[in-house]
Amino acid sequence: GYAARLGTDFPDLQTPLQTLTRAYEPVRYGGHVSDEDADNAEAAAARITGLSRSRIAELIETESEMLILLEQLEQEIKDFAT
């Protein structure tokens, strides 16, 4: 699922993502979580949101660069076709 793919891209977040997934699934499908599981989920969420601003900025910059390259490639394909 999504958490597994994201955990592959960000190995340091794999465990907190798994913790959140384990807490979310029973609630999503009508079950309940214990107070301990809820506390663990809150700690996992804090760990995930602790991703540094510089890392987030790096990801945004990388995505922006990819979008620019894709737009350039698309234009080159159009130019080639005409």
Side-chain angles (χ1 to χ4, degrees), residues 41-78:
E42 287 179 16
R47 170 89 171 93
I48 291 168
T49 57
L51 187 63
S52 71
R53 290 183 185 266
S54 63
R55 180 67 177 134
I56 292 170
E58 179 184 317
L59 292 171
I60 291 170
E61 183 178 329
T62 300
E63 184 174 338
S64 296
E65 290 172 0
M66 286 180 7
L67 290 174
I68 290 168
L69 290 173
L70 287 172
E71 288 172 359
Q72 291 172 349
L73 180 60
E74 184 179 80
Q75 186 59 48
E76 288 180 20
I77 292 170
K78 286 179 183 176

Side-chain angles (χ1 to χ4, degrees), residues 3 6 8-9 16 18 27-28 37-38 40 48-50 52-53 60 65 70 72 82:
L6 194 57
T8 299
D9 292 339
Q18 290 171 344
V27 173
R28 171 70 172 102
D37 288 339
N40 289 338
I48 291 168
T49 57
S52 71
R53 290 183 185 266
I60 291 170
E65 290 172 0
L70 287 172
Q72 291 172 349
T82 58

